[in-house]
Amino acid sequence: MSDKVLIAASLLSADMARFERSMSEVASEVDYFHCDVMDGHFVPNLTFGAPVVKAIKRISTLPLDVHLMIEKPASWIDDYIGAGLSSKDYLTFHIEAEPNPVNALKKIQDAGIQAGIVVKPGTAATAIKGLEKFVNQVLVMTVEPGFGGQKFKEEMLPKITEIRKMFPDNVLVAVDGGIDETTAPLVYEAGASLLIAGNAIFGKPDPRNAARNIRFSANPNHFVC
Ligand code: DX5
Ligand code: ZN
Protein backbone atom coordinates (compact mmCIF):
# COMPACT_ATOMS: atom_id res chain seq x y z
CA MET A 1 0.00 0.00 0.00
CA SER A 2 1.38 3.39 -0.93
CA ASP A 3 1.16 6.18 1.66
CA LYS A 4 0.35 8.89 -0.81
CA VAL A 5 -3.32 9.34 -1.59
CA LEU A 6 -4.02 11.12 -4.86
CA ILE A 7 -7.43 12.66 -5.44
CA ALA A 8 -9.07 13.43 -8.77
CA ALA A 9 -12.22 15.54 -8.86
CA SER A 10 -14.61 14.22 -11.51
CA LEU A 11 -16.01 17.14 -13.49
CA LEU A 12 -19.05 15.05 -14.45
CA SER A 13 -20.62 16.22 -11.19
CA ALA A 14 -19.45 19.84 -11.50
CA ASP A 15 -21.59 22.62 -12.89
CA MET A 16 -20.71 22.36 -16.59
CA ALA A 17 -21.74 25.95 -17.19
CA ARG A 18 -19.01 27.13 -14.84
CA PHE A 19 -16.20 24.61 -15.04
CA GLU A 20 -13.56 27.22 -14.31
CA ARG A 21 -15.13 28.31 -11.03
CA SER A 22 -15.81 24.71 -9.92
CA MET A 23 -12.22 23.78 -10.67
CA SER A 24 -10.68 26.72 -8.83
CA GLU A 25 -12.90 25.98 -5.80
CA VAL A 26 -11.29 22.56 -5.26
CA ALA A 27 -7.87 22.91 -6.92
CA SER A 28 -5.96 23.30 -3.65
CA GLU A 29 -7.28 19.97 -2.32
CA VAL A 30 -7.07 17.71 -5.38
CA ASP A 31 -4.29 16.46 -7.66
CA TYR A 32 -6.15 15.94 -10.95
CA PHE A 33 -9.31 16.92 -12.75
CA HIS A 34 -11.02 13.81 -14.11
CA CYS A 35 -12.82 14.28 -17.45
CA ASP A 36 -15.44 11.68 -18.40
CA VAL A 37 -15.78 11.36 -22.16
CA MET A 38 -18.94 9.38 -23.06
CA ASP A 39 -20.21 8.65 -26.55
CA GLY A 40 -23.75 7.36 -25.97
CA HIS A 41 -22.70 3.98 -27.43
CA PHE A 42 -20.08 2.41 -25.17
CA VAL A 43 -22.10 3.80 -22.27
CA PRO A 44 -25.74 4.93 -22.29
CA ASN A 45 -24.84 8.57 -21.69
CA LEU A 46 -23.23 11.38 -23.66
CA THR A 47 -20.95 14.10 -22.33
CA PHE A 48 -18.25 15.88 -24.31
CA GLY A 49 -15.25 15.18 -26.52
CA ALA A 50 -11.81 16.47 -27.40
CA PRO A 51 -12.77 20.14 -28.05
CA VAL A 52 -14.10 20.48 -24.51
CA VAL A 53 -11.11 18.61 -23.06
CA LYS A 54 -8.91 21.09 -24.95
CA ALA A 55 -10.79 24.00 -23.36
CA ILE A 56 -10.53 22.44 -19.89
CA LYS A 57 -6.82 21.82 -20.40
CA ARG A 58 -6.32 25.49 -21.25
CA ILE A 59 -7.90 26.72 -18.02
CA SER A 60 -6.77 23.95 -15.66
CA THR A 61 -4.11 24.62 -13.06
CA LEU A 62 -3.78 20.84 -12.49
CA PRO A 63 -3.06 17.84 -14.70
CA LEU A 64 -6.02 16.07 -16.30
CA ASP A 65 -7.10 12.45 -16.03
CA VAL A 66 -9.13 11.84 -19.19
CA HIS A 67 -11.36 8.75 -19.03
CA LEU A 68 -12.60 7.65 -22.45
CA MET A 69 -15.87 5.71 -22.29
CA ILE A 70 -16.18 5.42 -26.05
CA GLU A 71 -16.15 2.80 -28.78
CA LYS A 72 -13.03 2.54 -30.98
CA PRO A 73 -10.88 4.65 -28.62
CA ALA A 74 -7.73 4.14 -30.75
CA SER A 75 -9.24 6.11 -33.60
CA TRP A 76 -9.74 9.14 -31.33
CA ILE A 77 -6.29 9.29 -29.73
CA ASP A 78 -4.99 11.89 -32.22
CA ASP A 79 -7.78 14.24 -31.20
CA TYR A 80 -6.75 13.99 -27.54
CA ILE A 81 -3.10 14.53 -28.42
CA GLY A 82 -4.32 17.60 -30.30
CA ALA A 83 -6.21 18.71 -27.19
CA GLY A 84 -2.85 19.52 -25.63
CA LEU A 85 -2.48 16.67 -23.12
CA SER A 86 1.10 16.40 -21.91
CA SER A 87 3.45 14.31 -19.76
CA LYS A 88 1.61 14.89 -16.48
CA ASP A 89 -1.82 14.06 -17.93
CA TYR A 90 -3.41 10.62 -18.18
CA LEU A 91 -5.43 9.33 -21.11
CA THR A 92 -7.28 6.10 -20.27
CA PHE A 93 -9.61 3.87 -22.29
CA HIS A 94 -11.60 0.70 -21.67
CA ILE A 95 -10.14 -2.73 -22.44
CA GLU A 96 -13.66 -3.83 -23.44
CA ALA A 97 -13.70 -1.24 -26.25
CA GLU A 98 -10.33 -1.85 -27.87
CA PRO A 99 -9.24 -5.05 -29.66
CA ASN A 100 -5.61 -3.89 -29.93
CA PRO A 101 -4.85 -2.19 -26.60
CA VAL A 102 -1.05 -2.43 -26.88
CA ASN A 103 -0.95 -0.33 -30.05
CA ALA A 104 -3.29 2.26 -28.55
CA LEU A 105 -1.31 2.48 -25.30
CA LYS A 106 1.97 2.82 -27.23
CA LYS A 107 0.49 5.59 -29.34
CA ILE A 108 -0.49 7.52 -26.22
CA GLN A 109 2.92 7.02 -24.61
CA ASP A 110 4.77 7.89 -27.82
CA ALA A 111 2.93 11.22 -27.73
CA GLY A 112 4.42 11.83 -24.28
CA ILE A 113 1.12 11.30 -22.42
CA GLN A 114 0.59 8.89 -19.50
CA ALA A 115 -1.45 5.92 -20.71
CA GLY A 116 -4.05 3.96 -18.80
CA ILE A 117 -6.41 1.04 -19.17
CA VAL A 118 -9.84 0.78 -17.53
CA VAL A 119 -11.80 -2.31 -16.48
CA LYS A 120 -15.56 -2.39 -15.98
CA PRO A 121 -16.97 -4.21 -12.94
CA GLY A 122 -17.74 -7.34 -15.00
CA THR A 123 -14.24 -7.57 -16.48
CA ALA A 124 -11.71 -9.77 -14.69
CA ALA A 125 -8.19 -8.61 -13.89
CA THR A 126 -6.88 -11.34 -16.22
CA ALA A 127 -8.27 -9.34 -19.18
CA ILE A 128 -5.40 -6.86 -18.78
CA LYS A 129 -2.65 -9.40 -18.18
CA GLY A 130 0.29 -8.72 -20.47
CA LEU A 131 -0.17 -4.94 -20.43
CA GLU A 132 2.20 -4.42 -17.50
CA LYS A 133 4.89 -2.79 -19.66
CA PHE A 134 2.54 -0.49 -21.54
CA VAL A 135 0.47 1.26 -18.88
CA ASN A 136 1.06 4.05 -16.39
CA GLN A 137 -2.36 3.69 -14.77
CA VAL A 138 -4.95 0.95 -14.31
CA LEU A 139 -8.42 2.23 -13.48
CA VAL A 140 -10.80 -0.15 -11.72
CA MET A 141 -14.43 0.90 -12.13
CA THR A 142 -16.30 0.52 -8.86
CA VAL A 143 -19.67 1.27 -10.52
CA GLU A 144 -20.97 0.55 -14.02
CA PRO A 145 -19.57 3.37 -16.19
CA GLY A 146 -21.96 6.01 -17.47
CA PHE A 147 -23.34 7.97 -14.55
CA GLY A 148 -22.21 9.75 -11.41
CA GLY A 149 -23.75 9.29 -8.00
CA GLN A 150 -24.07 5.48 -8.06
CA LYS A 151 -23.51 3.11 -5.18
CA PHE A 152 -19.98 1.76 -4.68
CA LYS A 153 -19.59 -1.94 -5.54
CA GLU A 154 -17.79 -3.41 -2.57
CA GLU A 155 -17.24 -6.68 -4.43
CA MET A 156 -14.58 -4.86 -6.52
CA LEU A 157 -12.20 -4.69 -3.55
CA PRO A 158 -10.45 -8.05 -4.22
CA LYS A 159 -9.94 -7.03 -7.88
CA ILE A 160 -8.20 -3.83 -6.77
CA THR A 161 -5.83 -5.91 -4.64
CA GLU A 162 -5.26 -8.41 -7.44
CA ILE A 163 -4.44 -5.64 -9.91
CA ARG A 164 -2.17 -3.87 -7.41
CA LYS A 165 -0.18 -7.11 -7.10
CA MET A 166 -0.12 -7.75 -10.88
CA PHE A 167 1.35 -4.39 -11.87
CA PRO A 168 4.70 -2.80 -10.99
CA ASP A 169 4.74 -0.19 -8.20
CA ASN A 170 5.18 2.69 -10.62
CA VAL A 171 1.79 1.91 -12.24
CA LEU A 172 -0.93 3.93 -10.55
CA VAL A 173 -4.01 1.96 -9.49
CA ALA A 174 -7.09 4.19 -9.65
CA VAL A 175 -10.72 3.70 -8.66
CA ASP A 176 -13.78 5.46 -10.03
CA GLY A 177 -17.38 5.31 -8.85
CA GLY A 178 -19.03 5.77 -5.47
CA ILE A 179 -15.87 7.04 -3.77
CA ASP A 180 -16.60 9.06 -0.64
CA GLU A 181 -15.35 9.34 2.95
CA THR A 182 -16.71 5.87 3.78
CA THR A 183 -15.42 3.96 0.76
CA ALA A 184 -12.07 5.80 0.41
CA PRO A 185 -10.38 3.90 3.28
CA LEU A 186 -11.59 0.58 1.83
CA VAL A 187 -10.15 1.17 -1.64
CA TYR A 188 -6.94 2.62 -0.26
CA GLU A 189 -6.48 -0.40 2.01
CA ALA A 190 -7.15 -2.65 -1.00
CA GLY A 191 -4.31 -0.99 -2.93
CA ALA A 192 -5.71 1.98 -4.86
CA SER A 193 -3.84 5.26 -4.65
CA LEU A 194 -5.70 7.52 -7.10
CA LEU A 195 -9.23 8.08 -5.84
CA ILE A 196 -11.65 9.65 -8.31
CA ALA A 197 -14.75 11.27 -6.85
CA GLY A 198 -17.52 13.31 -8.40
CA ASN A 199 -20.71 13.48 -6.42
CA ALA A 200 -18.94 13.24 -3.06
CA ILE A 201 -17.02 16.43 -3.94
CA PHE A 202 -19.19 18.60 -6.18
CA GLY A 203 -22.46 17.39 -4.65
CA LYS A 204 -21.45 18.85 -1.30
CA PRO A 205 -22.03 22.43 -0.09
CA ASP A 206 -18.28 22.82 0.53
CA PRO A 207 -16.52 20.86 -2.27
CA ARG A 208 -13.02 21.86 -1.17
CA ASN A 209 -13.56 20.54 2.34
CA ALA A 210 -15.24 17.42 0.97
CA ALA A 211 -12.17 16.64 -1.17
CA ARG A 212 -9.89 17.15 1.81
CA ASN A 213 -12.03 14.85 3.94
CA ILE A 214 -11.91 12.07 1.35
CA ARG A 215 -8.11 12.21 1.31
CA PHE A 216 -7.99 12.31 5.10
CA SER A 217 -10.39 9.39 5.51
CA ALA A 218 -8.30 7.25 3.12
CA ASN A 219 -5.11 7.82 5.08
CA PRO A 220 -4.95 10.29 7.99
CA ASN A 221 -1.14 9.93 7.92
CA HIS A 222 -1.10 11.68 4.59
CA PHE A 223 -1.39 14.98 6.44
CA VAL A 224 1.41 14.25 8.91
CA CYS A 225 4.65 15.85 7.75
C1 DX5 B 1 -18.87 7.22 -14.15
C2 DX5 B 1 -17.68 8.10 -14.26
C3 DX5 B 1 -17.16 8.65 -12.98
C4 DX5 B 1 -18.15 9.48 -12.22
C5 DX5 B 1 -18.01 9.08 -10.79
O1 DX5 B 1 -19.00 6.48 -15.32
O2 DX5 B 1 -16.61 7.44 -14.89
O3 DX5 B 1 -15.95 9.37 -13.15
O4 DX5 B 1 -17.96 10.87 -12.30
O5 DX5 B 1 -18.97 9.71 -10.09
P1 DX5 B 1 -19.23 9.47 -8.56
O6 DX5 B 1 -17.99 9.79 -7.83
O7 DX5 B 1 -20.35 10.40 -8.28
O8 DX5 B 1 -19.62 8.01 -8.40
ZN1 ZN C 1 -14.65 8.43 -14.85
Side-chain angles (χ1 to χ4, degrees), residues 10 34-36 67 69 139 141 176 196:
S10 178
H34 180 85
C35 302
D36 286 307
H67 176 191
M69 283 163 276
L139 170 52
M141 290 304 299
D176 188 10
I196 298 158

Side-chain angles (χ1 to χ4, degrees), residues 101-141:
V102 171
N103 278 2
L105 291 163
K106 278 188 183 158
K107 187 168 181 177
I108 296 169
Q109 289 184 331
D110 286 350
I113 301 165
Q114 305 293 315
I117 198 81
V118 193
V119 285
K120 292 209 270 191
T123 303
T126 48
I128 53 171
K129 209 168 171 338
L131 299 183
E132 290 82 352
K133 291 204 181 84
F134 308 101
V135 291
N136 306 101
Q137 180 194 138
V138 178
L139 170 52
V140 180
M141 290 304 299

Side-chain angles (χ1 to χ4, degrees), residues 48-70:
F48 49 75
V52 172
V53 171
K54 186 176 184 176
I56 293 170
K57 179 66 194 163
R58 234 179 28 237
I59 59 171
S60 182
T61 54
L62 293 175
L64 302 186
D65 179 43
V66 179
H67 176 191
L68 301 181
M69 283 163 276
I70 60 175

